[in-house]
């Protein structure tokens, strides 16, 4: 496993500060949230893109993923969703990121599968992948697996297993991993008060079954990115991400395959 940290946990901090936090706290990667507030988004011009990539690489880091917000199953015209994902994938290619996170934002796998198929050719040409997160209407591994099975694009699609959401929807970590294993590309790690109260807490102080998930990932030989998604953007009252990163570092070291 290789540890990254998401800029979701750094509201108000610019890219240089995010790089400083990641490189100074044992991370190998930085997960960049795509949003105007972060300064990283598909509207950047060529020089700005080069600057982002060079600054990250100069610090000895990699961009583990771009955290986009497109709903791959969201109701609406296919063309809008496809073009939005392709814009993020072009940005990923320019920044040297391997993939872009999308959310389901809908419950019909046929809609998402159709769009993933349309994106597959251009994604392959760019050398990037679409990473569907276990979230919202498709929070379980079983739901995302159904979507990706129908899409049938394993070379250009993968899964982000957010450890919180399948569990809080009643799916055990073992069942999630079994469902997602053919596509598992990325893991987002976090802890929270409970399945009902998702307020972030330091690793090991909440209810998310982190030990069970870690053992399963080690047993599966998972060697990909694990990103600490500390949701301080949504919960501004919680501690700075710098105080949480040591727990994530220890978790990755304990369960690294």
């Amino acid at each position: 496993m290789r540890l990254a940290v998401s800029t979701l946990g750094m509201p108000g901090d610019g890219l240089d500060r995010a790089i400083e936090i990641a490189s100074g706290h044992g991370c190998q990667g930085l997960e960049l949230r795509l949003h105007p507030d972060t300064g990283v988004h598909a509207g950047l011009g060529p020089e700005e893109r080069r600057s982002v990539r060079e600054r990250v690489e100069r610090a000895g880091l990699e961009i583990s993923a771009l955290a986009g917000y497109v709903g791959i199953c969201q109701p609406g015209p296919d063309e809008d969703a496809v073009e939005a994902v392709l814009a993020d994938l072009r940005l990923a290619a320019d920044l040297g990121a391997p993939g872009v996170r999308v959310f389901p934002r809908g419950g019909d796998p046929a809609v998402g599968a159709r769009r993933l198929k349309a994106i597959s050719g251009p994604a392959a040409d760019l050398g990037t992948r679409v990473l569907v997160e276990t979230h919202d209407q498709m929070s379980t591994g079983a739901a995302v697996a159904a979507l990706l099975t129908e899409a049938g694009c394993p070379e250009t699609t993968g899964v982000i297993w957010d450890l919180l959401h399948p569990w809080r929807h009643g799916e055990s970590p073992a069942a999630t991993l079994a469902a997602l294993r053919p596509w598992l590309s990325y893991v987002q790690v976090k802890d929270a008060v409970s399945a009902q109260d998702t307020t972030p807490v330091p690793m090991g102080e909440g209810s998310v079954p982190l030990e069970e998930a870690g053992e399963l990932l080690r047993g599966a030989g998972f060697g990909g990115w694990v990103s600490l998604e500390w949701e301080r953007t949504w919960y501004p009252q919680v501690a700075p991400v710098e105080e949480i990163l040591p727990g994530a570092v220890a978790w990755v070291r304990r369960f690294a395959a």
Side-chain angles (χ1 to χ4, degrees), residues 178-196:
L180 298 182
R181 194 164 181 172
W183 303 277
L184 184 59
S185 307
Y186 200 96
V187 173
Q188 287 177 339
V189 65
K190 65 184 73 169
D191 210 344
V193 172
S194 69
Q196 294 75 39

Side-chain angles (χ1 to χ4, degrees), residues 211-222:
E211 297 299 303
E212 181 182 356
E215 292 286 1
L216 288 164
L217 288 165
R218 179 168 56 190
F222 180 74

Side-chain angles (χ1 to χ4, degrees), residues 31-149:
E31 179 185 308
L32 298 178
R33 176 178 178 243
L34 299 186
H35 193 277
D37 290 349
T38 69
V40 181
H41 51 82
L44 295 183
E47 288 298 327
E48 294 168 308
R49 295 176 183 221
R50 275 193 288 273
S51 174
V52 170
R53 182 168 184 165
E54 289 171 359
R55 286 148 69 192
V56 172
E57 291 178 347
R58 192 160 55 239
L61 296 171
E62 297 177 40
I63 299 173
S64 58
L66 301 184
Y69 286 88
V70 178
I72 201 66
C73 300
Q74 187 167 343
D78 283 359
E79 294 79 7
D80 293 349
V82 167
E83 184 48 47
V85 176
L86 288 176
D88 287 348
L89 289 173
R90 294 183 196 107
L91 177 64
D94 288 341
L95 300 187
V100 171
R101 188 272 307 279
V102 299
F103 287 131
R105 303 259 193 241
D108 188 347
V111 173
R114 190 170 63 239
R115 294 169 179 174
L116 290 170
K117 289 175 183 177
I119 293 164
S120 182
D125 292 341
L126 290 166
T128 57
R129 304 180 80 208
V130 180
L131 306 176
V132 182
E133 183 173 333
T134 53
H135 205 273
D136 46 72
Q137 289 97 321
M138 294 185 178
S139 285
T140 64
V144 175
L147 166 63
L148 296 190
T149 297

